Amino acid sequence: MIAHLRAGLVSLVCVLGIFAAPAQAADYPNRPVRWLIGFAAGGPVDIVARIMAQWLSDKFGQQFVVENRAGSGGNLAAAAAVNSAPDGYTLLFVAPNNAISASLYKKLPYDFIRDTTPVASIMQLTNMLVVSNAMPVKTVKEFIDYCHANPGKISYASSGNGTSVHMSAELFKAMTKCEMQHVPYRGSAIAFPDIISNKVQLIFDNLPTALEQARGGTVRALGVTSTQRWPTLPDVPAIAETVPGFESIGFYGISAPKDTPPEIVEILNKAVDEALKDPKLVARLGEVGGLPKPMTPAEFGKLVASETEKWRKVVEFAGVSVD
């Protein structure tokens, strides 16, 4: 009798297990979703996250709350996401820093690819080299010549160790033999007052913030880090026109903690794909220089993996590391 009862309970648990995830996903989201951002408010990641978060909030009727966890090149936010419940109510904004950190940081408490679930790709973007208006240079060639004439006297800002902003500069240093000092900030938006005042001379920032500052005339744009001129900025040269082979293309997307139900991942992925077909949202991304790049979760996972390997080679080439 007891054996039959146990068998019945096991069967019931199995049946409930089969239907648990779909039932959970059926009314998702039924409360606010927090979206962890690894950088300070006002920076390029934050700008794009808030554009997308507002669209998702309007679609689902639940708030997608952007939560800034700045520090350690975005690793504080990633660690918080990895250690959150895999229920779809904690998401992480994913960018090149997550791929770079895997090789740049030697003692991370997590494995990003193993411990996260890819959800959706949002867009691709380039970085832009901008300099203080006080710098006596107007082209990439003039900048390189100025660096060579003033070795070690130029400082570059970044949004933190391990970001694409940091590594773009390190790759540039390695390929041009320019000697520059690194000054990391907790987000690029925080760095710009020092660049504008020439306390720090330059930054290879993600396009959204760099473009806003350049358009406002507070800094001077010299080039983009894509291999060719960026489609929305045909008048700004590619650095590769002066430094052949130079490239640093970024990506923005969403991941969730490992074991997040696939049904919830699918709901979010379809929502992001829908957003990237909305002319108004696409126009807003275009204003900050982004090119929409929808992908399936599997495709986005492959992108993160390939970017992780690409940046591992750059880290080795540049000879940099963070303990």
Side-chain angles (χ1 to χ4, degrees):
M1 180 67 179
I2 294 177
H4 287 299
L5 180 59
R6 286 176 177 171
L9 287 173
V10 170
S11 298
L12 179 60
V13 169
C14 291
V15 170
L16 290 175
I18 292 172
F19 291 102
Q24 182 183 11
D27 62 347
Y28 175 86
N30 57 24
R31 54 188 168 88
V33 177
R34 65 172 185 156
W35 195 2
L36 298 178
I37 311 299
F39 303 97
V45 168
D46 183 72
I47 290 171
V48 174
R50 292 181 187 278
I51 291 172
M52 182 61 69
Q54 185 59 58
W55 194 96
L56 292 171
S57 297
D58 292 342
K59 173 179 174 57
F60 288 112
Q62 292 288 349
Q63 287 297 308
F64 279 68
V65 181
V66 172
E67 184 177 317
N68 300 90
R69 293 280 190 97
S72 188
N75 291 319
L76 293 183
V82 164
N83 291 312
S84 297
D87 56 8
Y89 289 92
T90 298
L91 304 176
L92 176 69
F93 194 106
V94 181
N97 62 284
N98 300 113
I100 295 167
S101 292
S103 54
L104 183 69
Y105 285 81
K106 304 308 179 187
K107 299 178 181 179
L108 285 180
Y110 60 85
D111 181 308
F112 189 80
I113 294 177
R114 181 195 66 204
D115 297 332
T116 63
T117 299
V119 174
S121 166
I122 297 173
M123 70 183 210
Q124 288 186 337
L125 74 164
T126 183
N127 288 359
M128 178 186 281
L129 167 58
V130 297
V131 300
S132 165
N133 286 328
M135 287 281 286
V137 299
K138 294 185 179 179
T139 68
V140 173
K141 174 68 166 57
E142 290 178 359
F143 176 69
I144 294 172
D145 291 343
Y146 185 83
C147 283
H148 290 166
N150 297 273
K153 296 181 180 180
I154 298 172
S155 297
Y156 74 89
S158 82
S159 50
N161 288 315
T163 60
S164 69
V165 180
H166 172 205
M167 292 309 300
S168 293
E170 288 294 336
L171 181 61
F172 184 86
K173 285 173 56 180
M175 294 183 71
T176 62
K177 308 304 179 185
C178 283
E179 294 183 27
M180 301 185 292
Q181 302 300 316
H182 179 209
V183 183
Y185 291 77
R186 292 171 66 88
S188 61
I190 302 171
F192 269 98
D194 286 352
I195 299 168
I196 293 168
S197 65
N198 201 38
K199 292 180 180 177
V200 180
Q201 283 68 54
L202 65 130
I203 189 170
F204 285 77
D205 198 18
N206 291 168
L207 194 56
T209 309
L211 184 58
E212 180 182 2
Q213 295 288 345
R215 283 173 172 168
T218 59
V219 295
R220 182 181 303 126
L222 298 188
V224 293
T225 61
S226 48
T227 54
Q228 298 178 334
R229 299 192 181 203
W230 201 241
T232 58
L233 297 170
D235 296 332
V236 179
I239 294 173
E241 295 174 27
T242 304
V243 186
F246 183 85
E247 178 189 11
S248 178
I249 292 292
F251 64 94
Y252 285 172
I254 304 172
S255 284
K258 179 184 177 182
D259 296 327
T260 297
E263 295 81 9
I264 289 178
V265 171
E266 187 66 17
I267 289 171
L268 288 167
N269 183 270
K270 288 183 177 180
V272 172
D273 281 1
E274 183 182 341
L276 296 179
K277 295 174 184 176
D278 183 333
K280 292 182 179 179
L281 183 132
V282 170
R284 293 195 67 190
L285 295 182
E287 288 172 1
V288 295
L291 299 179
K293 195 70 174 180
M295 294 181 180
T296 66
E299 289 170 340
F300 185 53
K302 289 181 180 178
L303 172 66
V304 174
S306 65
E307 287 290 308
T308 299
E309 176 59 18
K310 180 188 82 173
W311 283 109
R312 181 189 64 77
K313 295 177 181 177
V314 173
V315 166
E316 292 178 355
F317 177 71
V320 294
S321 65
V322 178
D323 292 330

